[in-house]
Amino acid sequence: AEKTALVAANTRLFDYQEAQAARQSYNTIVKRIREMLPDFLLQEKSLDTALLTLAPDERLTYLATTSLGAVALLVGNAPAEGRIPITEYWSDELLTSEKIARLLIGSASERDKPTGENPGLLAAQSTNGTLRRALLTAMETLGISDGVLAHLAIYCRAAKIRRLIFVPCGLFGLLPLHAALVPTASGDQDVEPFLDVVQVSYTPSAHIWANCEKRTKEYRAGQINALLVSDPQPRDFNMSPLPGAEDEVLMIDEIITHKVSGQAFPYYGIAATLPALLDGLKTYGATLTHVHFACHGQADLNNPYASGLLLAQGDRLMARDLLDSTVVHLERLRVAVLSACQTALSGTELPDEVIGLPAGWLQAGAIAVLASLWPVSDNKTVALMIKFYELHLLDKCDPIEALWLAQRWFRQLPTWREDCQKLGASWAACGPQVSEVMRNLELGLLQRGKKNLDEHTHLVDSEMGHEDAQRNFSSHAHTEQDHTMKEKFALWEDAQHWAAFAVYGA
């Protein structure tokens, strides 16, 4: 019955002939989806506000998975007064909740022996050498032809959509939808990451996004004031060193204090305790425009209110702390950058407003949050973050554009300079290639007596460096399957670095 309802809803929406019928079809679709997902799209007034806030080349898209497949509901603002909202709807039988779960946790073992299949993105974060393989599988599966993301890509190209805001429900909120390898416009076997089709951002709900977008229009930058946290000490003995965290914060401090004449409030090592940070947030909170955490993070999927940033002395700044206005009140905060592992992971249920660190920071006052889904190699994080701040603070790009351009630069796309120029980022467009930045970072750290950053990780010591992965592939290149996998990794080998980060909010 549920499958029949989805097909019927799909047919009605695709076949509508008159504007009056579109609104009725829209209501019918939502009603049908709620039969399986009771909490889906409950805040109708909030959705109406969001629709009015959307630009003509922006779309808000709800994405959810069920036992029967995935559903996507896209809405947009009708430019002419009195017209009903733009609505599009897709479903598939491919991205079932079971398949999405396998992308995250892998397949069950048989008689306590591994099946040899992909371990899943969550499991791969604690297993040597498997993150690349798990991520590639997720990218290919999410963008599969005839899947909802493939249909979304076709729509965005045809409608010339500039930006797509995802409201990912449930398990979809744990996956890099922006990195899905969707079929290209040519219609052949080639694929491209979804964020090459359209700029992608995320939001816990339409209500939160509309509020963030409204605050963006009202925002007056003025002086930049940033609270910076670097590698809190002492750390738990199970946590790996963060050799690049100090360099990351020092370089950001340089941009803020010298290049934009702002003010920074840094907390390094043993000074980065929870009492000190809470006191700093209270003292400077009303004037802070940016916060940046270069530290370890920890997600609690069963209790997302306990997800947090790990500080000195074993303390944690948790999502629940951010929801207490007497503790944290950040009325001028433009962006919170959580340069730590798993800061983007949310709860696995299907509430109307997904709970997690991004939602916590948004509700505490941030307009945008840059967070990660998995560990990223140390020096690569430093390079990507510095480029992000150059684009955001020096070229005045909004956080979504800044990350999008930084990712294109990091991937060494031939058009990255032209992309920067098109968005008015002339300062960044004249900058060096990522390879030169990476080389300088490594040389600088070596001169200070540190090991090559590629031998470490920014977040956990289990994630393999680039050269280790290449050696791993070389040692397994004797089979046709491994050879094919090696070729695929050659195309997307850096995805585990650039695809980890995403912007939530506006």
Side-chain angles (χ1 to χ4, degrees):
E2 293 174 335
K3 181 176 178 181
T4 302
L6 283 173
V7 173
N10 188 23
T11 302
R12 282 196 288 272
L13 187 54
F14 276 128
D15 293 343
Y16 75 85
Q17 299 295 322
E18 299 178 354
Q20 293 295 329
R23 169 58 79 176
Q24 182 179 356
S25 297
Y26 168 81
N27 292 334
T28 301
I29 290 168
V30 173
K31 181 179 179 181
R32 295 296 188 191
I33 294 174
R34 282 181 183 161
E35 292 177 2
M36 292 179 291
L37 308 173
D39 295 318
F40 185 80
L41 213 59
L42 283 178
Q43 294 186 347
E44 295 180 356
K45 292 183 179 179
S46 297
L47 180 61
D48 290 340
T49 302
L51 288 173
L52 294 174
T53 307
L54 287 167
D57 58 355
E58 294 179 331
R59 296 292 185 272
L60 187 74
T61 302
Y62 286 81
L63 195 63
T65 181
T66 73
S67 59
L68 299 177
V71 291
L73 175 63
L74 176 146
V75 293
N77 186 16
E81 184 177 354
R83 290 184 58 185
I84 62 171
I86 298 166
T87 58
E88 295 288 345
Y89 170 79
W90 299 273
S91 66
D92 67 45
E93 299 178 8
L94 305 170
L95 299 177
T96 63
S97 52
E98 181 182 357
K99 178 170 286 189
I100 297 300
R102 284 204 302 269
L103 292 181
L104 291 164
I105 61 176
S107 301
S109 62
E110 297 177 359
R111 296 181 181 179
D112 298 324
K113 295 182 179 180
T115 62
E117 294 187 22
N118 191 307
L121 268 178
L122 295 179
Q125 295 181 28
S126 59
T127 306
N128 285 333
T130 56
L131 182 54
R132 273 193 175 89
R133 189 177 299 272
L135 176 57
L136 181 60
T137 299
M139 293 166 69
E140 292 178 327
T141 303
L142 288 172
I144 191 169
S145 179
D146 290 330
V148 289
L149 287 173
H151 286 295
L152 273 170
I154 294 171
Y155 172 86
C156 289
R157 291 190 193 101
K160 299 187 184 325
I161 302 304
R162 175 181 59 91
R163 183 172 294 175
L164 193 70
I165 303 101
F166 275 121
V167 185
C169 300
L171 296 179
F172 269 129
L174 307 178
L175 290 164
L177 306 178
H178 55 283
L181 293 177
V182 296
T184 61
S186 63
D188 52 25
Q189 298 299 311
D190 290 338
V191 292
E192 62 182 347
F194 195 86
L195 80 171
D196 281 358
V197 178
V198 62
Q199 293 179 23
V200 175
S201 63
Y202 297 82
T203 181
S205 71
H207 171 73
I208 289 179
W209 179 82
N211 183 59
C212 291
E213 187 66 19
K214 177 183 177 182
R215 293 183 59 215
T216 298
K217 291 179 170 57
E218 298 171 347
Y219 186 77
R220 299 293 180 268
Q223 178 176 296
I224 301 299
N225 297 307
L227 184 146
L228 310 174
V229 178
S230 170
D231 194 13
Q233 297 288 333
R235 60 179 175 273
D236 188 290
F237 69 90
N238 291 318
M239 297 297 175
S240 60
L242 302 175
E246 182 178 350
D247 299 87
E248 180 178 329
V249 169
L250 284 172
M251 293 177 188
I252 294 168
D253 192 324
E254 171 73 15
I255 293 174
I256 291 170
T257 58
H258 291 83
K259 294 184 178 180
V260 296
S261 300
Q263 189 171 8
F265 309 103
Y267 293 79
Y268 293 96
I270 60 175
T273 64
L274 181 60
L277 262 294
L278 291 177
D279 183 65
L281 289 171
K282 288 181 180 179
T283 303
Y284 310 120
T287 62
L288 287 177
T289 59
H290 295 72
V291 296
H292 184 100
F293 287 82
C295 61
H296 285 287
Q298 194 168 68
D300 188 331
L301 302 185
N302 294 320
N303 181 19
Y305 285 114
S307 296
L309 299 156
L310 305 187
L311 303 176
Q313 309 298 335
D315 285 331
R316 185 188 306 182
L317 179 61
M318 293 182 287
R320 67 164 61 97
D321 298 323
L322 303 171
L323 302 179
D324 187 346
S325 60
T326 63
V327 175
V328 180
H329 184 63
L330 307 164
E331 57 190 44
R332 291 193 64 235
L333 190 61
R334 181 62 185 90
V335 59
V337 178
L338 312 181
S339 183
C341 65
Q342 299 184 337
T343 50
L345 297 184
S346 58
T348 56
E349 297 301 320
L350 291 168
D352 187 52
E353 295 190 358
V354 178
I355 301 168
L357 273 177
W361 280 98
L362 292 172
Q363 292 183 22
I367 297 176
V369 179
L370 195 164
S372 72
L373 287 163
W374 57 78
V376 178
S377 179
D378 211 4
N379 58 339
K380 294 176 175 64
T381 299
V382 176
L384 188 63
M385 287 298 161
I386 298 310
K387 196 65 175 181
F388 168 80
Y389 275 98
E390 289 175 353
L391 286 156
H392 175 49
L393 295 182
L394 302 181
D395 281 319
K396 311 299 182 185
C397 293
D398 69 47
I400 298 170
E401 287 179 343
L403 179 61
W404 184 74
L405 289 172
Q407 288 169 325
R408 295 180 75 77
W409 166 81
F410 188 91
R411 293 163 58 202
Q412 304 182 72
L413 295 185
T415 62
W416 75 264
R417 294 187 191 274
E418 181 182 347
D419 297 331
C420 288
Q421 291 285 6
K422 285 181 180 178
L423 292 178
S426 56
W427 199 97
C430 298
Q433 296 280 1
V434 64
S435 56
E436 182 179 345
V437 172
M438 297 282 288
R439 184 164 54 249
N440 290 339
L441 283 171
E442 292 171 3
L443 286 173
L445 289 168
L446 286 170
Q447 289 168 358
R448 288 185 11 222
K450 293 186 179 181
K451 293 182 180 180
N452 189 316
L453 279 178
D454 275 341
E455 296 176 6
H456 298 279
T457 58
H458 184 48
L459 307 167
V460 294
D461 55 8
S462 60
E463 193 256 338
M464 289 174 56
H466 172 71
E467 294 182 359
D468 290 335
Q470 293 290 3
R471 287 194 292 270
N472 181 62
F473 289 130
S474 298
S475 65
H476 293 84
H478 58 278
T479 67
E480 181 178 352
Q481 180 180 3
D482 286 325
H483 180 70
T484 301
M485 187 65 71
K486 180 179 177 181
E487 290 180 345
K488 290 180 178 179
F489 278 126
L491 291 174
W492 308 109
E493 62 186 359
D494 282 329
Q496 69 185 84
H497 308 301
W498 59 261
F501 296 99
V503 173
Y504 298 75

